C-alpha cells in the first residue's frame, strides 16, 4: 500500500498548481528543525553533535512559521533534535494547522505521554515515531534500554487518544531482510500504526558513526528480499510505488533535493539535510543560489550511496503525477 489517499490528493492538487504557474522548483515538504537538542544519543545522529550554544537554542514560533510560509510547502515534518523539548512546539503545530499544512511531528516518543495533553487530534496532523527495529535492535540503535517499550507505550496512548500515528524506521548494514519483515509486520499488524516510513541509513557528514551505513547494492538487495511474496502491497507504507521500486532496484531515479528542503536554527541547508554545503536565510536564496545539477549519485561523490527519501521521493512523486498509468497505480494502492 502507498501513501494515504488524502495526502496524495493534496499533493496532486499542489503539483498541478505549480505546473499551471510554470514553477520549475517548489517544495513538497519542508523538514523543519526548531532545535537540535535531544533526550537521546542515537549512534547514527549528527544533530546532537552540534556545539553546546546551538544545542541550547530554540527557534522562535514566528521564525518557524515565517520560513514555512515563505516556502509555500503544503507539508511540514518537524524534527530536530527532539521537538517535544521545544517549549512552544504545540503552538508551532497549531499555527501550521491553522494555515492548512499537513504536519508530521517526528519524535522518539519518550516524552510524548508527558506532552500529549497539549495536542488535539486533527485530520492534517500525525505523530511520526522513530522505531529502528524490534526491542533489542531499537534499544541498541537509540543507546537506551527501555527505549522500544517506552515508544510502544506512547504510540498506544496516542492511538487511544484518537491521534494518527506513523512510524519512521531506518535500516543499517547489520539489518537482514528478516529484520525488515519482522519490524514492519509488527508495526502494521500488531501495533496497527496508520502508515510506516522506511529509509536506508546514509552516512551524512556530521554522523558520529560512519561504519554501519548501506551502499546502493546492499540497499536494493535488502528491500528486494524484504518486499518479496507480496509483502510490500500488504504493508501500509507512506511512500509512492515508484520510490519503493527504486529502493528494491526495479528502477533508478535522479535526486530532486529541492523537493524536500531543510530549515533549521542555522537557516535553509544546502542542498539537503544530509549534506552541509552552507546555509542561507531564505527559501528563495536556497532555490536560486544552489547549483542543483551538481548533486545526486554520479555527480557528487558524497551522494554515491544515498537513496534517501528526501532526495528521491520527490522525483518519484513527480514521475507519478506525470503518468496516468502511475497515478492509477498509486491511487489503487492507497
Ligand atoms: S532520537 Fe532522533 S534526534 Fe534524538 S539522538 Fe536519536 S536520531 Fe538524533
Ligand atoms: S543524493 Fe540528493 S538527497 Fe542524497 S545526499 Fe546527495 S543531494 Fe542529498
Amino acid at each position: 500500500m502507498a501513501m494515504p489517499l488524502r495526502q496524495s490528493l493534496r499533493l496532486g492538487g499542489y503539483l498541478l498548481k505549480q505546473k499551471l504557474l510554470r514553477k520549475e522548483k517548489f517544495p513538497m515538504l519542508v523538514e523543519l528543525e526548531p532545535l537540535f537538542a535531544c533526550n537521546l544519543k542515537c549512534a547514527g545522529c549528527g544533530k546532537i553533535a552540534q556545539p553546546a550554544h546551538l544545542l541550547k537554542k530554540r527557534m522562535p514560533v514566528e521564525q518557524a512559521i515565517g520560513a514555512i510560509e515563505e516556502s509555500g510547502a503544503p507539508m511540514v515534518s518537524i524534527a530536530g533534535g527532539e521537538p517535544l523539548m521545544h517549549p512552544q512546539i504545540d503552538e508551532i503545530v497549531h499555527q501550521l494547522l491553522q494555515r492548512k499544512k499537513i504536519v508530521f511531528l517526528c519524535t522518539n516518543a519518550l516524552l510524548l505521554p508527558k506532552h500529549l495533553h497539549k495536542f488535539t487530534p486533527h485530520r492534517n496532523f500525525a505523530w511520526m515515531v522513530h522505531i529502528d527495529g524490534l526491542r533489542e535492535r531499537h534499544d541498541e540503535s537509540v543507546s537506551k534500554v527501555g527505549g522500544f517499550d517506552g515508544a510502544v507505550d506512547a504510540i498506544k496512548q496516542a492511538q487511544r487518544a484518537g491521534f494518527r500515528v506513523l512510524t519512521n524506521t531506518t535500516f543499517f548494514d547489520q539489518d537482514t531482510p528478516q529484520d525488515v519483515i519482522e519490524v514492519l509486520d509488527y508495526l502494521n499488524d500488531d501495533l496497527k500504526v496508520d502508515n510506516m516510513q522506511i529509509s536506508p541509513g546514509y552516512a551524512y557528514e556530521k554522523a558520529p558513526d560512519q561504519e554501519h551505513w548501506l551502499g546502493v547494492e546492499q540497499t536494493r538487495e535488502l528491500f528486494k528480499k524484504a518486499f518479496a511474496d507480496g509483502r510490500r502491497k500488504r504493508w501500509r507504507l507512506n511512500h509512492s510505488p515508484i520510490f519503493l521500486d527504486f529502493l528494491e532496484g526495479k528502477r533508478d531515479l535522479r535526486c530532486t533535493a529541492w523537493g524536500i528542503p531543510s530549515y533549521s536554527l542555522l537557516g535553509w541547508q544546502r542542498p539537503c539535510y544530509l549534506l552541509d554545503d552552507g546555509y542561507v536565510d531564505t527559501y528563495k536564496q536556497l532555490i536560486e543560489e544552489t547549483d542543483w545539477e551538481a548533486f545526486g549519485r554520479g555527480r557528487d561523490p558524497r551522494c554515491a550511496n544515498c537513496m534517501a527519501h528526501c532526495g528521491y521521493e520527490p522525483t518519484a512523486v513527480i514521475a507519478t503525477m506525470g503518468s496516468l498509468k502511475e497515478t492509477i497505480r498509486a491511487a489503487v494502492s492507497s
Side-chain angles (χ1 to χ4, degrees):
M1 281 178 137
M3 59 177 70
L5 187 58
R6 181 178 166 70
Q7 192 179 318
S8 303
L9 289 173
R10 181 77 186 279
L11 200 49
Y14 172 77
L15 291 182
L16 187 62
K17 189 174 163 197
Q18 306 312 307
K19 199 170 179 179
L20 294 172
L21 292 171
R22 296 182 190 276
K23 274 201 186 172
E24 278 183 18
K25 295 187 175 65
F26 42 84
M28 295 175 205
L29 176 147
V30 172
E31 299 264 6
L32 175 66
E33 297 175 344
L35 79 173
F36 292 127
C38 189
N39 54 335
L40 285 179
K41 288 192 176 127
C42 302
C45 178
K47 302 296 171 185
I48 52 174
Q50 297 286 354
H53 73 276
L54 272 179
L55 291 177
K56 284 189 198 135
K57 278 185 90 172
R58 306 289 181 263
M59 187 182 290
V61 176
E62 315 76 61
Q63 184 184 338
I65 302 301
I68 302 302
E69 290 221 292
E70 193 233 338
S71 76
M75 300 195 288
V76 184
S77 176
I78 308 176
E82 169 53 61
L84 291 174
M85 287 173 69
H86 191 300
Q88 291 163 298
I89 193 64
D90 50 331
E91 184 58 24
I92 294 177
V93 169
H94 176 66
Q95 291 205 21
L96 290 172
L97 291 173
Q98 272 188 331
R99 287 162 175 80
K100 302 201 181 327
K101 306 295 178 189
I102 293 177
V103 182
F104 303 98
L105 184 46
C106 305
T107 173
N108 58 52
L110 298 185
L111 297 172
L112 201 155
K114 188 176 157 196
H115 294 279
L116 194 59
H117 68 279
K118 297 180 187 168
F119 299 85
T120 311
H122 189 289
R123 61 184 185 168
N124 285 340
F125 175 74
W127 297 98
M128 174 80 79
V129 179
H130 166 187
I131 297 275
D132 271 351
L134 294 180
R135 185 175 290 110
E136 199 182 329
R137 177 74 189 84
H138 180 80
D139 286 1
E140 179 202 356
S141 177
V142 301
S143 308
K144 184 174 176 64
V145 174
F148 178 83
D149 290 340
V152 167
D153 282 349
I155 288 173
K156 289 179 178 170
Q157 281 193 42
Q159 287 173 324
R160 279 197 299 272
F163 288 92
R164 288 186 67 223
V165 181
L166 279 66
T167 52
N168 188 14
T169 306
T170 304
F171 295 102
F172 298 89
D173 72 348
Q174 64 266 52
D175 292 312
T176 64
Q178 194 54 32
D179 292 329
V180 178
I181 292 166
E182 284 175 9
V183 69
L184 292 181
D185 275 350
Y186 174 74
L187 297 170
N188 197 80
D189 301 338
D190 295 357
L191 211 46
K192 295 186 171 43
V193 299
D194 291 274
N195 293 99
M196 295 102 73
Q197 246 175 234
I198 53 176
S199 180
Y202 168 75
Y204 61 100
E205 290 167 307
K206 279 201 161 56
D209 176 359
Q210 292 282 326
E211 284 175 20
H212 295 297
W213 308 88
L214 287 163
V216 168
E217 284 314 318
Q218 268 178 298
T219 299
R220 288 175 176 154
E221 205 48 34
L222 179 70
F223 288 114
K224 191 172 142 194
K225 288 182 180 157
F227 289 170
D229 303 326
R231 277 182 293 268
R232 179 181 134 174
K233 286 205 173 100
R234 206 171 59 71
W235 291 325
R236 294 181 297 280
L237 295 168
N238 191 39
H239 296 289
S240 65
I242 292 182
F243 180 72
L244 296 173
D245 287 350
F246 167 70
L247 282 186
E248 62 169 313
K250 286 184 174 168
R251 66 186 289 169
D252 206 0
L253 299 173
R254 278 185 68 163
C255 169
T256 307
W258 48 259
I260 302 190
S262 173
Y263 183 74
S264 72
L265 288 166
L266 297 168
W268 290 97
Q269 186 169 344
R270 195 160 28 217
C272 65
Y273 87 94
L274 299 166
L275 299 185
D276 198 346
D277 283 5
Y279 297 82
V280 288
D281 292 338
T282 65
Y283 176 74
K284 187 171 185 291
Q285 283 175 291
L286 177 77
I287 290 302
E288 291 178 357
E289 298 172 13
T290 305
D291 179 8
W292 298 102
E293 291 305 309
F295 300 101
R297 277 186 290 115
R299 286 174 280 161
D300 184 318
R302 296 171 300 172
C303 300
N305 284 324
C306 178
M307 296 179 78
H309 167 256
C310 65
Y312 295 92
E313 182 73 90
T315 323
V317 168
I318 291 169
T320 303
M321 301 300 172
S323 150
L324 181 62
K325 187 175 149 210
E326 290 297 345
T327 304
I328 292 169
R329 184 177 167 223
V332 167
S333 60
S334 289

